[in-house]
Structures are given as structure tokens and as C-alpha cells.
Amino acid sequence: MQALTLKQLNEELSELLDKLNIIPAEDESTDELVLYLQDLIRKRQILLDGIFANATAADATELSDQIELTHSFEAKALVLKEHRQSLLHAGRKSKRQLNLYKSIDSNR
């Protein structure tokens, strides 16, 4: 298998974050996609470490672009995380309400 270039990896990360943003949280493939996302992030970090280990002033623009892209990925992931957390919270609240109604019903 051919190693991904930084450009390919960035594109794949962006597409994966977009896909995770539209896929329903209860979809079974979500867990696998999140694991794949973690793997891509790890690979990107290793690749960036290798590329910029001996960075010079000539690399400043590319490094700045990658930092900006990292912030973009972070923002997308944060929105995704907050959405999923709100779904979990709503699910817990619904479950508590359902248990309350069951309890009331059983006491009749």
C-alpha cells in the first residue's frame, strides 16, 4: 500500500469529518469512522513531524498553511463532538423521563 501524501491525507481527513457530520449518530458505521479518523490524525501528525523536523524559513508558509488547516480540522471536530454530546444528553433525559413514567404507572 502506497503511503499517503500530506495533501491526500488532508483531503481524506476533511472528507471524513464532513461525512461524520452528516451521518446519523446511531449509524453503526460511526464508531469505525471515528477510529479511522483517529488513525488519519495520527498519520498526519507523524507526517508533519517528519516534514517539519528540520524546517527552515523557506518552509514557513507551508507550515503556516498546515497550522491553519489543523485549526480548521479542530473546529469541525469540536462541532461534531458537541452535537454528539447533546444527542447523548437528550437521550439520557428521555430515558429518565421514560423511567419516571414507568415508575408512576407501576405504582397505580
Side-chain angles (χ1 to χ4, degrees):
M1 183 174 162
Q2 177 184 340
L4 291 172
T5 65
L6 184 56
K7 182 179 178 182
Q8 291 170 324
L9 213 137
N10 287 336
E11 289 171 359
E12 197 165 342
L13 264 168
S14 184
E15 290 171 7
L16 184 56
L17 283 166
D18 291 341
K19 185 175 184 177
L20 280 166
N21 198 34
I22 59 174
I23 195 169
E26 60 276 357
D27 189 312
E28 292 180 12
S29 66
T30 302
D31 291 342
E32 291 176 25
L33 292 174
V34 169
L35 288 173
Y36 185 55
L37 177 66
Q38 289 173 326
D39 187 48
L40 287 178
I41 291 170
R42 183 187 53 78
K43 287 178 181 176
R44 182 174 187 266
Q45 185 61 50
I46 291 168
L47 195 55
L48 287 172
D49 287 346
I51 292 172
F52 295 112
N54 299 313
T56 63
D59 299 319
T61 302
E62 177 64 21
L63 182 57
S64 178
D65 291 346
Q66 291 304 318
I67 290 172
E68 234 176 86
L69 196 51
T70 298
H71 290 304
S72 167
F73 291 152
E74 268 184 299
K76 285 182 178 183
L78 185 61
V79 167
L80 184 62
K81 180 187 102 174
E82 287 173 352
H83 174 69
R84 300 294 165 114
Q85 283 179 330
S86 70
L87 289 175
L88 285 171
H89 178 70
R92 285 189 203 117
K93 183 177 179 184
S94 297
K95 189 174 182 175
R96 282 194 307 266
Q97 288 175 337
L98 183 60
N99 287 339
L100 177 65
Y101 293 132
K102 284 180 181 177
S103 174
I104 292 170
D105 191 47
S106 70
N107 290 332
R108 287 183 180 189

